[in-house]
Amino acid sequence: MELQGRHLIDPNDLTLEEIQTIIDLGLKIYNNPTNYAELCKGKILGTLFYEPSTRTRLSFESAMLRMGGSILGFSDASTSSVKKGETVADTIRVMDDYADILVMRHPREGAPKLASQFSTVPIINGGDGGHQHPTQTLTDLITIQYYKNEINNLKVAFCGDLLFGRTVHSLLKTLSRYPNMSFILISPPELKIPYHLRDEILQNHNVEIIETHCLETYMPEIDILYMTRIQKERFFNEEDYVKLKDSYILNREKLQSAKEDMLVLHPLPRVNEISYDVDQDPRGKYFDQAKLGVYVRMALMALLLGVVESC
Amino acid sequence: MELQGRHLIDPNDLTLEEIQTIIDLGLKIYNNPTNYAELCKGKILGTLFYEPSTRTRLSFESAMLRMGGSILGFSDASTSSVKKGETVADTIRVMDDYADILVMRHPREGAPKLASQFSTVPIINGGDGGHQHPTQTLTDLITIQYYKNEINNLKVAFCGDLLFGRTVHSLLKTLSRYPNMSFILISPPELKIPYHLRDEILQNHNVEIIETHCLETYMPEIDILYMTRIQKERFFNEEDYVKLKDSYILNREKLQSAKEDMLVLHPLPRVNEISYDVDQDPRGKYFDQAKLGVYVRMALMALLLGVVESC
Amino acid sequence: MELQGRHLIDPNDLTLEEIQTIIDLGLKIYNNPTNYAELCKGKILGTLFYEPSTRTRLSFESAMLRMGGSILGFSDASTSSVKKGETVADTIRVMDDYADILVMRHPREGAPKLASQFSTVPIINGGDGGHQHPTQTLTDLITIQYYKNEINNLKVAFCGDLLFGRTVHSLLKTLSRYPNMSFILISPPELKIPYHLRDEILQNHNVEIIETHCLETYMPEIDILYMTRIQKERFFNEEDYVKLKDSYILNREKLQSAKEDMLVLHPLPRVNEISYDVDQDPRGKYFDQAKLGVYVRMALMALLLGVVESC
């Protein structure tokens, strides 16, 4: 398997074929988990969380345990040797003896990349600063695949904080590599997608982008609505925030004009940008998305570890 | 098994027959642990500790590991998504994908109850504020069963802080459901059992209650002496504390007038309310109690998971 | 096996024959790990870290997981019952029900010794204050055995902080029990080995000691160079520190006069006392040392647990 022994730092490390391999295996495991319950027996996942992230860490840990493997690690840099001034490179050269695969979350951009240059075992980037979070992107993609059958010819709207949102940037860049995609970028002017990213996507790919500040206008056309959290502190003044905050709360009323089979996704945690009344709407798939995230991580780790011959 | 898929939030969630089922299975496992060493193979316990409690957490973790299952979770809310403002309901809807059974400790009363309304897997209350701690009660009950053979016709004394002690309230309410029980409540006046609880027990059940401030008076009659810690800060003035503190320290001398087969129990941690010289007395069973607590938790989880056909 | 059920608090608890038994088993596991992958199935390691030490904790956890066992514990006293005022003795009497073997790191000298007096399961000292760290010594010894084939007739240099370094004291005392050893102690005058330790070694053993402040003088004679970190705050004045700090940084240039088969060891974490250019030199064995540390801990735990009949 060509993925064996590789690292995953950036979604761009993977070809679309490789992504498809991971997604397909993830869905196979999802449909028949007992077949894979011993796949990683004797394997150890090391979780190196230099900043806390319960959800990402536990998703990986659950994925490894559900394949019969074991877990060790730390969930907080304050209890790690980093306090004694050790470099990431040195930590990795020890940790790769303790575990067979490592997932690293780090507040500094590029730390997992650096780690991968010193590790003898696969390193997965579990989020580095505002930079990349490739397994969130894989989670988003497996969810789209599961509900839409293929990732092709879709109108995907991103709503909320498009300026700082690492998740949005990663997914947007990756989706723009797929055929026939168009994007609706919904945000207040203060939180628009960075120019360089928009230009990168537009120049390199045959995609369509619409930028708007209004959530409702394009609702009837959207296939996938990807919501993100807007943080009050990102606004320049209180007045702007008060004016805008309600426009970006998705509720059941606003969903009335949407397609029957639109998907509402969210990387979670949700604060108040999706009302609780959407939870009962069949279009709200954000919790299913979190669940599928476990399976895509199972597939990813199994492939990087080389414990499956083929998918 | 009728316990499969259920939650345990409050000891009152269980009938006396159900409690007996759990205790009987716990003792069977205690007597022959190797028979049950693979009972939970492939199952994952998630420990959601929004406030630290090493003893309770590790007791559950040991219980799951000793049945061949796995564990994941967090031991401190400061490393969890709660910091980002996520509700308990949302956290549970993700966590129930990561684990097959969850134990939750939370500083807020009612949080585990709320969690159980959103969870697709069994939730066990591992202590919520000053409210309930049902597996401590099960631990107390299995210990009484083990040493007294049945929970019937016993004179049980509770000594120490009866006003704030969650453990005492839970056990007292549960024991009052058993036949022919009588209770001696020993505390300083400032730390008497709350009226409403006393009245609830007296009105609903055919039990006898004696309230006293003296540890020694009834010593010769007691079958089970349940000690708790008295915290200095609970007293209204230093003088009262100094006056009383020594009366509630159990030592070997005070045990001289007690029955040969009286049990001394304590939920632990003990600070100084039981002298170390009692540790060597065969009546001191508080460490055996902690040990039996692992087995009753094994039984409880096995039954909630439905991995045993019958006990 | 005579090691079954024993504690390891101080390297002196072990005879040289017992150390050899542990090392030999460690190397057997290293050479054929799959033979031992189920050795500790059903066994639980409890990690009681009253102060953080990621490296030591994870090395033990990896060792237990690689033998098919399980792990539980705490990595920080702030989340343990110690906060409620419980004594180490009481904590141990509960923890020994939760696990089959315990490793304890504690800031207070003697705490693991005390714990061992109350525990019904083996206790391993994972470091107590500035006192002992016996599994680091075993790690150092297995590395010397691996690369030198026997621990005999070696010239071992220790360089850096010889006054406060627990690791150095432990290893030096243990090596001085082996035949035909000589030691070169390289440090600034402020950080010389304590008199009592030097005298103890010189009086009790037929060993040779040279004390010097110069790293280069004896370089050509050294078989093993054990580097340690010099902490700026240990110096009496800035001037002395600036003067000395560079003399104790090992780099490739200084290695030119050394034997081809000299070993450079370091307990890690390294800060800057070994330049990164030494990492590529075949003599730099500090990361191999960390790796071998996992295997010697596997052997130690297997023997204390009595799960191997003979080595």
Side-chain angles (χ1 to χ4, degrees):
Chain A
M1 194 66 226
E2 74 275 19
L3 283 163
Q4 185 177 347
R6 296 251 302 269
H7 307 292
L8 177 57
I9 306 304
D10 183 312
N12 276 323
D13 295 347
L14 299 168
T15 64
L16 294 191
E17 288 72 25
E18 287 166 343
I19 290 174
Q20 201 57 47
T21 300
I22 297 166
I23 289 176
D24 288 346
L25 179 58
L27 292 175
K28 272 176 106 169
I29 302 175
Y30 179 75
N31 288 318
N32 207 340
T34 51
N35 275 9
Y36 301 86
E38 305 262 300
L39 197 59
C40 287
K41 199 176 167 196
K43 300 294 182 189
I44 301 175
L45 165 68
T47 54
L48 314 185
F49 278 64
Y50 287 83
E51 68 179 6
S53 172
T54 309
R55 189 182 308 281
T56 300
R57 178 173 61 84
L58 295 182
S59 182
F60 271 105
E61 293 185 357
S62 182
M64 180 49 82
L65 294 174
R66 290 204 185 284
M67 296 189 291
S70 305
I71 53 174
L72 55 71
F74 54 87
S75 54
D76 195 349
S78 70
T79 62
S80 92
S81 291
V82 78
K83 279 204 312 182
K84 297 181 188 163
E86 187 174 59
T87 62
V88 164
D90 275 18
T91 300
I92 287 299
R93 276 184 280 195
V94 173
M95 288 298 304
D96 68 4
D97 297 326
Y98 297 169
D100 301 297
I101 187 166
L102 298 169
V103 56
M104 176 189 269
R105 153 120 6 173
H106 203 287
R108 217 171 61 235
E109 290 187 15
K113 178 76 186 163
L114 177 74
S116 73
Q117 290 158 0
F118 290 93
S119 177
T120 60
V121 304
I123 299 267
I124 300 170
N125 183 357
D128 58 333
H131 198 219
Q132 297 290 348
H133 191 5
T135 60
Q136 179 63 51
T137 300
L138 290 175
T139 296
D140 302 336
L141 294 173
I142 196 175
T143 310
I144 296 171
Q145 169 85 27
Y146 183 77
Y147 288 106
K148 294 294 182 189
N149 292 310
E150 57 175 346
I151 306 171
N152 184 354
N153 197 27
L154 296 168
K155 194 165 278 189
V156 185
F158 292 87
C159 175
D161 172 3
L162 309 187
L163 180 56
F164 299 102
R166 166 177 68 186
T167 304
V168 166
H169 300 174
S170 248
L171 180 58
L172 186 51
K173 279 169 71 172
T174 307
L175 281 178
S176 70
R177 298 160 62 193
Y178 283 85
N180 312 311
M181 304 297 285
S182 65
F183 302 106
I184 300 163
L185 307 180
I186 307 158
S187 71
E190 294 90 337
L191 295 175
K192 282 173 73 172
I193 192 175
Y195 288 126
H196 71 88
L197 179 59
R198 197 195 55 186
D199 292 351
E200 182 188 331
I201 290 166
L202 282 173
Q203 283 169 19
N204 294 325
H205 304 280
N206 180 26
V207 300
E208 214 178 274
I209 288 184
I210 293 168
E211 292 188 84
T212 175
H213 66 274
C214 178
L215 174 57
E216 277 110 331
T217 318
Y218 296 91
M219 190 66 91
E221 307 171 22
I222 297 171
D223 295 307
I224 293 157
L225 174 55
Y226 200 96
M227 298 294 296
T228 65
R229 189 153 50 101
I230 293 200
Q231 292 168 286
K232 189 175 174 178
E233 59 273 29
R234 294 277 156 84
F235 279 83
F236 299 131
N237 62 67
E238 175 84 12
E239 206 183 327
D240 284 0
Y241 174 71
V242 169
K243 192 179 65 199
L244 282 166
K245 71 181 168 74
D246 287 341
S247 356
Y248 297 106
I249 294 175
L250 183 68
N251 56 28
R252 208 142 184 187
E253 198 196 319
K254 289 181 190 155
L255 274 180
Q256 283 181 345
S257 63
K259 289 186 183 175
E260 284 292 314
D261 64 350
M262 187 183 79
L263 307 181
V264 180
L265 302 184
H266 191 295
L268 303 180
R270 164 246 317 252
V271 178
N272 58 11
E273 57 281 1
I274 301 179
S275 312
Y276 289 94
D277 61 7
V278 178
D279 296 2
Q280 271 71 50
D281 191 291
R283 286 167 286 199
K285 298 297 190 197
Y286 26 96
F287 292 116
D288 304 270
Q289 184 185 359
K291 181 172 199 162
L292 284 161
V294 177
Y295 293 91
V296 88
R297 288 181 174 99
M298 289 169 83
L300 173 65
M301 290 193 286
L303 289 161
L304 298 182
L305 283 167
V307 290
V308 273
E309 281 295 298
S310 68
C311 60
Chain B
M1 195 67 227
E2 73 275 19
L3 284 163
Q4 185 176 349
R6 296 251 302 269
H7 307 292
L8 177 57
I9 306 305
D10 182 313
N12 276 323
D13 294 348
L14 298 168
T15 65
L16 294 192
E17 288 72 25
E18 287 166 344
I19 290 175
Q20 200 58 44
T21 299
I22 297 166
I23 289 177
D24 288 346
L25 179 57
L27 293 175
K28 272 176 107 168
I29 302 174
Y30 179 75
N31 288 318
N32 206 340
T34 51
N35 275 9
Y36 301 87
E38 304 261 301
L39 196 59
C40 286
K41 200 177 167 195
K43 299 295 181 187
I44 301 175
L45 166 68
T47 55
L48 314 185
F49 278 64
Y50 287 83
E51 69 179 5
S53 172
T54 310
R55 190 184 306 281
T56 300
R57 179 172 62 84
L58 295 181
S59 180
F60 271 105
E61 293 185 358
S62 182
M64 180 49 83
L65 294 175
R66 291 203 184 285
M67 296 189 291
S70 305
I71 53 175
L72 55 70
F74 54 86
S75 55
D76 195 347
S78 70
T79 62
S80 92
S81 291
V82 77
K83 279 205 310 181
K84 297 180 188 163
E86 187 174 59
T87 62
V88 165
D90 275 18
T91 300
I92 287 298
R93 276 185 280 194
V94 174
M95 289 297 305
D96 68 5
D97 297 326
Y98 296 168
D100 301 297
I101 186 166
L102 298 169
V103 56
M104 176 189 270
R105 153 120 7 173
H106 203 287
R108 217 172 60 236
E109 292 187 15
K113 177 76 185 165
L114 177 74
S116 73
Q117 290 157 2
F118 290 92
S119 177
T120 60
V121 304
I123 300 266
I124 300 170
N125 182 358
D128 57 333
H131 199 217
Q132 297 291 347
H133 191 5
T135 59
Q136 179 64 50
T137 300
L138 290 175
T139 296
D140 302 336
L141 294 174
I142 196 176
T143 310
I144 296 172
Q145 169 86 26
Y146 183 76
Y147 288 106
K148 295 294 183 189
N149 293 308
E150 57 175 345
I151 307 173
N152 183 354
N153 197 28
L154 295 168
K155 193 164 281 189
V156 184
F158 292 87
C159 176
D161 173 3
L162 308 187
L163 180 57
F164 299 101
R166 166 176 70 185
T167 304
V168 166
H169 299 175
S170 248
L171 180 58
L172 187 51
K173 278 169 71 172
T174 306
L175 281 179
S176 70
R177 296 160 63 193
Y178 283 84
N180 313 310
M181 305 297 285
S182 65
F183 302 107
I184 300 163
L185 307 180
I186 307 159
S187 72
E190 292 91 337
L191 295 174
K192 281 172 75 172
I193 192 175
Y195 288 125
H196 71 89
L197 180 59
R198 197 195 55 185
D199 292 351
E200 183 187 331
I201 291 166
L202 281 174
Q203 284 167 18
N204 294 326
H205 303 280
N206 181 26
V207 300
E208 213 179 276
I209 289 184
I210 293 167
E211 291 189 84
T212 175
H213 66 277
C214 177
L215 174 57
E216 278 111 328
T217 319
Y218 295 92
M219 189 68 90
E221 306 171 23
I222 297 170
D223 294 308
I224 294 158
L225 174 55
Y226 200 96
M227 297 295 296
T228 65
R229 190 153 51 101
I230 293 200
Q231 292 168 287
K232 189 175 173 179
E233 60 273 29
R234 293 277 156 85
F235 280 84
F236 298 132
N237 60 67
E238 174 85 13
E239 205 182 331
D240 285 358
Y241 175 70
V242 171
K243 191 178 68 197
L244 283 165
K245 73 182 169 74
D246 288 341
S247 356
Y248 297 106
I249 294 176
L250 183 68
N251 56 29
R252 208 143 183 186
E253 198 196 318
K254 287 180 191 155
L255 274 179
Q256 283 181 344
S257 64
K259 288 186 183 176
E260 284 292 315
D261 64 350
M262 187 183 80
L263 307 181
V264 180
L265 302 185
H266 190 296
L268 304 180
R270 163 243 321 248
V271 178
N272 59 9
E273 57 281 359
I274 301 179
S275 312
Y276 289 95
D277 61 8
V278 177
D279 296 2
Q280 271 71 49
D281 191 293
R283 288 167 286 199
K285 298 298 189 197
Y286 26 95
F287 292 115
D288 304 86
Q289 184 185 0
K291 181 172 199 161
L292 284 161
V294 177
Y295 293 91
V296 88
R297 287 181 175 98
M298 289 169 83
L300 173 65
M301 290 193 287
L303 289 162
L304 297 183
L305 284 167
V307 290
V308 273
E309 281 294 299
S310 67
C311 60
Chain C
M1 193 68 225
E2 73 275 20
L3 284 163
Q4 185 176 347
R6 296 251 301 269
H7 307 291
L8 177 57
I9 305 304
D10 182 314
N12 276 323
D13 295 347
L14 298 168
T15 65
L16 294 191
E17 287 73 24
E18 287 166 343
I19 290 175
Q20 201 57 46
T21 299
I22 297 165
I23 289 175
D24 287 346
L25 179 58
L27 293 175
K28 273 176 105 168
I29 302 175
Y30 179 75
N31 288 318
N32 206 340
T34 51
N35 275 9
Y36 301 86
E38 304 261 301
L39 196 59
C40 287
K41 200 176 167 195
K43 300 294 182 187
I44 301 174
L45 166 68
T47 54
L48 314 185
F49 278 64
Y50 287 83
E51 68 179 5
S53 173
T54 310
R55 190 182 307 281
T56 300
R57 178 173 62 83
L58 296 181
S59 181
F60 271 105
E61 293 185 359
S62 182
M64 180 49 83
L65 294 174
R66 290 204 185 284
M67 296 189 290
S70 305
I71 53 174
L72 55 72
F74 54 87
S75 55
D76 194 348
S78 70
T79 61
S80 91
S81 290
V82 79
K83 279 204 312 180
K84 297 181 189 164
E86 188 175 57
T87 63
V88 164
D90 275 18
T91 300
I92 287 298
R93 276 185 280 195
V94 174
M95 289 298 304
D96 67 4
D97 297 325
Y98 296 169
D100 301 298
I101 187 166
L102 298 169
V103 56
M104 176 189 269
R105 153 119 9 172
H106 203 286
R108 216 171 61 235
E109 292 187 15
K113 177 77 185 163
L114 177 74
S116 73
Q117 289 158 0
F118 289 93
S119 176
T120 60
V121 304
I123 300 267
I124 299 170
N125 183 358
D128 57 333
H131 197 218
Q132 298 291 347
H133 192 5
T135 60
Q136 179 63 51
T137 301
L138 290 175
T139 296
D140 301 337
L141 294 173
I142 195 175
T143 309
I144 296 172
Q145 168 85 28
Y146 183 77
Y147 288 106
K148 294 295 182 188
N149 292 309
E150 57 175 345
I151 307 172
N152 183 355
N153 197 28
L154 295 167
K155 195 165 279 189
V156 185
F158 292 88
C159 175
D161 172 3
L162 308 188
L163 179 57
F164 298 101
R166 166 175 69 183
T167 304
V168 167
H169 299 174
S170 248
L171 179 57
L172 186 51
K173 278 168 71 171
T174 306
L175 281 178
S176 70
R177 296 161 63 194
Y178 283 85
N180 312 310
M181 305 296 284
S182 64
F183 302 106
I184 299 162
L185 307 181
I186 307 158
S187 72
E190 294 91 336
L191 295 175
K192 281 172 73 172
I193 193 175
Y195 289 127
H196 71 88
L197 180 59
R198 197 195 55 185
D199 292 351
E200 184 188 330
I201 290 166
L202 281 172
Q203 283 168 19
N204 294 326
H205 305 281
N206 181 25
V207 299
E208 216 178 273
I209 289 183
I210 293 167
E211 291 188 85
T212 175
H213 65 277
C214 177
L215 174 56
E216 277 110 329
T217 318
Y218 295 92
M219 190 67 91
E221 307 171 22
I222 297 171
D223 295 307
I224 293 156
L225 174 55
Y226 200 96
M227 297 295 296
T228 65
R229 189 154 51 101
I230 292 200
Q231 291 168 287
K232 190 175 174 178
E233 59 272 31
R234 293 278 155 84
F235 280 84
F236 299 132
N237 61 66
E238 175 84 13
E239 205 182 329
D240 284 358
Y241 175 72
V242 170
K243 192 178 67 200
L244 282 166
K245 72 181 168 74
D246 287 340
S247 356
Y248 297 107
I249 294 176
L250 183 68
N251 55 28
R252 209 141 183 189
E253 198 196 319
K254 288 181 190 155
L255 273 180
Q256 284 182 342
S257 63
K259 289 185 185 177
E260 284 292 315
D261 63 349
M262 187 183 79
L263 307 180
V264 180
L265 302 185
H266 190 297
L268 303 180
R270 164 244 322 248
V271 178
N272 59 9
E273 58 281 358
I274 301 180
S275 312
Y276 289 95
D277 61 8
V278 178
D279 296 2
Q280 271 70 51
D281 191 292
R283 287 167 287 199
K285 298 298 189 197
Y286 26 96
F287 291 117
D288 305 86
Q289 183 185 0
K291 182 172 198 159
L292 284 161
V294 178
Y295 293 91
V296 86
R297 287 181 175 99
M298 290 168 83
L300 174 66
M301 290 193 286
L303 289 162
L304 298 183
L305 283 167
V307 291
V308 273
E309 281 294 298
S310 68
C311 60

